[in-house]
Amino acid sequence: MNARDEILARLRTALADSPPPVQVPRGYRRVDDRPDLIAALVDRLEDYRAVVHHGIDALSRLLGEVDRLGVPTDVPADWLAGYAGQLHSDAPPLSPAALDDLDAVLTGCAVAVADTGTIILDTGPAQGRRALTLVPDRHICVVRTDQVVGLLPEAFTRLDPRAPLTWISGPSATSDIELNRVEGVHGPRRLEVVLISPPGSSGA
């Protein structure tokens, strides 16, 4: 018997009396049909110290405060209507130094989860690459109301597990051993969410 066979034999002996696999109950909720999903999302976001705005007009006013704005290459034109500052498209990709020099970055998202206040980006339309939303100090994220779901299982059905996912629950923050909160260590110090209606509808 060689060393490999001896090791495998020992493993078989050690595992011989192992209990059978336990069936894990999976009867948890997969759909949240509450009528107040938007209100729940706003409540969670604000609890995480994000700032929430409503409507495309609010987005225009918000961008009026930004001098140097970074955007993905496919950001919708109506999001930028009337913007008079310096627009920096991420094509070719902006350097880390250039990203750090921006006043803010504007992106969309893939889905937002009301129950946890989590916004998920998957580098899909209007989202850009991960560095675009992790390096600048201020992230302005547009969330369409039809992108809001109630629970995480609903969100997973809209995501490609092979995509690079960024999960955002409020501004980047951490705490030291004395529980002193420090923001902006691992990502944007400021998160501002703009809720808008999907194309073809009115109101937000």
Side-chain angles (χ1 to χ4, degrees):
M1 177 182 292
N2 58 34
R4 177 180 177 277
D5 293 335
E6 183 178 353
I7 292 172
L8 292 176
R10 289 181 181 181
L11 288 173
R12 292 188 191 98
T13 301
L15 297 174
D17 60 348
S18 61
V22 177
Q23 290 287 15
V24 178
R26 301 190 184 278
Y28 49 77
R29 291 187 303 150
R30 295 180 180 272
V31 177
D32 191 334
D33 56 0
R34 290 180 296 171
D36 59 344
L37 290 182
I38 302 299
L41 175 66
V42 171
D43 177 72
R44 302 298 190 278
L45 288 170
E46 292 179 342
D47 188 54
Y48 288 139
R49 303 188 188 183
V51 180
V52 182
H53 308 267
H54 297 267
I56 198 73
D57 291 339
L59 176 61
S60 296
R61 291 192 298 270
L62 191 60
L63 294 183
E65 306 170 0
V66 179
D67 292 327
R68 299 181 302 276
L69 179 68
V71 295
T73 56
D74 57 350
V75 65
D78 59 320
W79 293 5
L80 298 172
Y83 178 67
Q86 300 176 28
L87 191 64
H88 298 264
S89 178
D90 194 36
L94 298 169
S95 68
L99 290 172
D100 189 52
D101 194 47
L102 297 172
D103 294 318
V105 60
L106 171 67
T107 75
C109 73
V111 64
V113 185
D115 194 52
T116 61
T118 303
I119 296 171
I120 307 173
L121 281 64
D122 63 0
T123 69
Q127 298 167 57
R129 59 194 175 107
R130 296 190 73 197
L132 186 62
T133 57
L134 294 177
V135 177
D137 199 50
R138 183 181 184 186
H139 183 190
I140 301 171
C141 186
V142 176
V143 178
R144 299 193 319 268
T145 53
D146 64 338
Q147 292 178 309
V148 179
V149 298
L151 303 172
L152 284 171
E154 295 175 90
F156 285 125
T157 65
R158 300 193 182 195
L159 298 170
D160 181 351
R162 298 166 297 180
L165 303 177
T166 303
W167 299 63
I168 303 169
S169 295
S172 170
T174 190
S175 296
D176 61 20
I177 195 170
E178 297 181 351
L179 300 182
N180 295 312
R181 179 183 172 98
V182 180
E183 297 181 348
V185 176
H186 308 296
R189 191 186 316 270
R190 300 171 61 186
L191 173 64
E192 304 200 50
V193 178
V194 182
L195 289 165
I196 66 171
S197 298
S201 62
S202 59

